[in-house]
């Protein structure tokens, strides 16, 4: 009998799934170790980089946007990303705070990590078609990053908030030119099997070598499974970090799947 035959696609699939499961367990352990500032208002300035004048100017804009549209736009600065990439950290923070309405997922988070020199716009599911990844990147590159490079954190955040609000409140036909992201390919069963194996191998590789992708994958998976799960924030109304907007503020149950863009300076 020959023992050197190539394994079937099903066998390879089982091996890949086992490796994926192991990688996810490691990611879950790391996720549970993260701590986030409490959502104490529409501006949570844990890193203490925003002037009081800037907070007083930005806060009414955020409140007005939510009052008129239901969109919950929150600014956060953090002292540390806790050795994580900004993408998974922002997504976990967004889901911990549950930004946006639960039925619409219309939340947006502008996160600045000055010590790591990173910034991200994290967009809720319901707004991904309006505040697209491309537009988020343009806002970061043209409006936010130039100010952050000069140490003008208040100016960068203010400009970013103004541009985000403009996109969210302007006629969508002027902003949206969305390419189709759906490929409805017709493949033979055998081609589909090997294509699936190739995709699983690529997924396993990314989960092993890329912490950022591992966090993103975990966040999406956990969001699907535990969409209504509890927040890991240390409190919905009070807690650490400098903030504006005070007591009584909380998220509305919204979530994000990783839409948005990141940048550095």
């Amino acid at each position: 009998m020959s023992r050197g035959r190539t394994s079937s696609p099903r066998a390879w699939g089982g091996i890949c799934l086992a490796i994926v499961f192991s990688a996810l367990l490691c990611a879950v352990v790391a996720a549970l170790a993260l701590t986030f500032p409490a959502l104490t208002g529409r501006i949570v300035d844990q890193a203490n980089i925003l002037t009081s004048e800037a907070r007083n100017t930005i806060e009414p804009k955020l409140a007005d946007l939510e009052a008129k549209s239901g969109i919950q736009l929150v600014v956060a600065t953090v002292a540390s990303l806790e050795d994580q990439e900004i993408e998974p950290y922002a997504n976990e923070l967004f889901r911990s705070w549950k930004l946006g309405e639960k039925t619409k997922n219309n939340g947006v988070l502008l996160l600045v990590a000055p010590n790591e020199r990173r910034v991200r716009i994290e967009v809720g599911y319901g707004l991904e078609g309006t505040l697209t990844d491309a537009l988020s990147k343009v806002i970061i590159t043209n409006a936010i990053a130039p100010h952050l490079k000069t140490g003008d954190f208040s100016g960068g955040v203010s400009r970013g908030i103004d541009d985000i609000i403009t996109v969210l409140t302007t006629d969508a036909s002027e902003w949206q030119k969305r390419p189709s992201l759906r490929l409805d390919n017709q493949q033979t069963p055998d081609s589909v099997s090997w294509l699936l194996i190739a995709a699983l191998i690529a997924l396993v590789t990314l989960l092993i070598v890329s912490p950022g992708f591992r966090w993103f994958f975990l966040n999406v998976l956990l969001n699907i499974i535990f969409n209504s799960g509890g927040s890991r924030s240390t409190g919905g109304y009070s807690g650490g970090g400098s903030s504006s907007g005070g007591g009584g503020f909380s998220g509305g149950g919204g979530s994000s799947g990783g839409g948005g863009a990141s940048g550095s300076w």
Side-chain angles (χ1 to χ4, degrees), residues 26-231:
C26 295
V28 168
V29 172
L32 293 175
L34 281 177
T35 57
F36 298 120
L39 180 59
T40 52
R42 293 182 175 87
I43 301 174
V44 179
D45 186 20
Q46 184 192 60
N48 196 29
I49 59 175
L50 302 177
T51 65
S52 58
E53 291 80 8
R55 291 197 295 269
N56 292 335
T57 299
I58 296 170
E59 168 72 21
K61 297 178 181 180
L62 305 181
D64 184 64
L65 176 66
E66 185 171 359
K68 291 181 177 178
S69 66
I71 296 173
Q72 197 169 51
L73 173 56
V74 170
V75 175
T77 74
V78 293
S80 171
L81 293 175
E82 301 185 25
D83 297 321
Q84 301 299 321
E85 296 293 335
I86 195 169
E87 293 82 7
Y89 186 96
N91 184 258
E92 278 290 297
L93 180 61
F94 188 112
R95 295 197 303 113
S96 176
W97 284 354
K98 298 179 180 290
L99 300 182
E101 297 169 289
K102 184 175 182 178
T103 57
K104 296 182 179 180
N105 291 309
N106 54 349
V108 180
L109 172 66
L110 174 56
L111 175 65
V112 179
N115 289 327
E116 289 86 355
R117 302 177 69 87
R118 297 282 284 162
V119 58
R120 178 164 178 82
I121 298 173
E122 184 78 11
V123 181
Y125 286 117
L127 296 176
E128 288 182 354
T130 302
L131 185 58
T132 63
D133 295 358
L135 284 173
S136 297
K137 188 65 175 180
V138 168
I139 292 172
I140 289 174
T141 302
N142 294 344
I144 302 176
H147 287 273
L148 301 185
K149 287 179 181 179
T150 64
D152 181 15
F153 295 107
S154 294
V157 170
S158 296
R159 277 293 309 277
I161 289 298
D162 286 345
D163 283 8
I164 291 172
I165 292 175
T166 297
V167 172
L168 294 175
T169 57
T170 302
D171 184 2
S173 63
E174 298 181 22
W175 292 96
Q176 291 178 319
K177 291 185 179 179
R178 290 179 283 178
S180 175
L181 300 178
R182 184 175 300 171
L183 298 176
D184 297 319
N185 295 324
Q186 299 296 324
Q187 303 284 347
T188 63
D190 188 61
S191 297
V192 171
S193 296
W194 285 108
L195 187 61
L196 178 60
I197 297 305
L200 282 172
I201 292 173
L203 176 63
V204 170
T205 302
L206 286 171
L207 286 170
I208 293 173
V209 305
S210 173
F213 180 82
R214 187 162 60 243
W215 271 96
F216 170 76
F217 184 82
L218 173 65
N219 291 334
V220 172
L221 183 63
L222 291 181
N223 186 66
I224 293 172
I225 299 174
F226 304 112
N227 190 43
S228 61
S231 168

